[in-house]
Amino acid sequence: MARTDTSLLTSLQGIIERTYDLQTGISDIGRYVIGDEGYRKIYGPLAAGGGVVDKVGAAQAVSAEPGARTLVRQSDTGTLALSIYYPDRLIECLESNDPTRRLDDDNVDAFATFVEELDHFLVIADRYRSAGVMSLLDLELHANVTKYLTLRMF
């Protein structure tokens, strides 16, 4: 992939939206991304009270630190609130091992996680905007195809 001044997040958003003809209506994807501090501030009290599902079907979190995830909330009025949580350590990994320069053992897992959560976010936004139907299986399958395609591209 050619180097540009566009962020990795924005570049991948464009690739995913064009590949699948997604109509998300999101022009500034960075507004929806939170790191460790944002996660603790927004979701810490909810998580402590059991109000955040860590993983579907999981009885407990595997680690004390949450992993990257797409966060979805629906209000009583039906409005959807979406954000993507990327742990600071994941972003640090990608910044110190730029996947636009090379993919290798040092960054491939972080890159795949980065792509997967972005894909979830964009598909949910597209389906919500078009009143489409989706399942967790659909989301996971879609993200796996997207990871494969972007890994091949990079």
Side-chain angles (χ1 to χ4, degrees):
M1 178 168 198
R3 300 270 312 158
T4 66
D5 290 334
T6 305
S7 72
L8 179 62
L9 183 68
T10 302
S11 295
L12 287 170
Q13 177 189 6
I15 290 167
I16 293 168
E17 288 179 342
R18 284 188 306 274
T19 300
Y20 300 108
D21 193 26
L22 298 179
Q23 306 298 316
T24 65
I26 297 168
S27 59
D28 182 9
I29 188 74
R31 293 181 41 208
Y32 301 95
V33 175
I34 60 173
D36 292 345
E37 183 179 336
Y39 185 83
R40 280 190 300 271
K41 184 186 269 186
I42 297 168
Y43 292 96
L46 287 172
V52 175
V53 175
D54 185 38
K55 293 183 180 175
V56 174
Q60 294 181 353
V62 175
S63 136
E65 294 183 30
R69 61 193 64 209
T70 303
L71 301 159
V72 183
R73 289 181 315 222
Q74 190 165 11
S75 71
D76 294 337
T77 62
T79 304
L80 196 67
L82 280 173
S83 58
I84 305 172
Y85 164 61
Y86 289 125
D88 292 352
R89 69 186 180 285
L90 183 139
I91 298 304
E92 290 165 4
C93 174
L94 294 175
E95 286 176 343
S96 63
N97 300 289
D98 185 352
T100 63
R101 293 185 184 269
R102 74 177 193 296
L103 276 175
D104 58 24
D105 290 343
D106 293 330
N107 64 359
V108 71
D109 290 336
F111 181 70
T113 299
F114 190 82
V115 169
E116 179 174 3
E117 296 310 321
L118 178 59
D119 187 79
H120 288 336
F121 179 94
L122 295 171
V123 170
I124 292 168
D126 176 72
R127 297 305 186 276
Y128 180 77
R129 191 165 192 228
S130 67
V133 178
M134 75 185 127
S135 70
L136 292 175
L137 178 60
D138 293 335
L139 282 175
E140 289 303 319
L141 288 173
H142 198 281
N144 283 327
V145 170
T146 301
K147 284 190 291 187
Y148 172 79
L149 293 173
T150 54
L151 288 168
R152 295 282 299 169
M153 181 181 294
F154 279 70

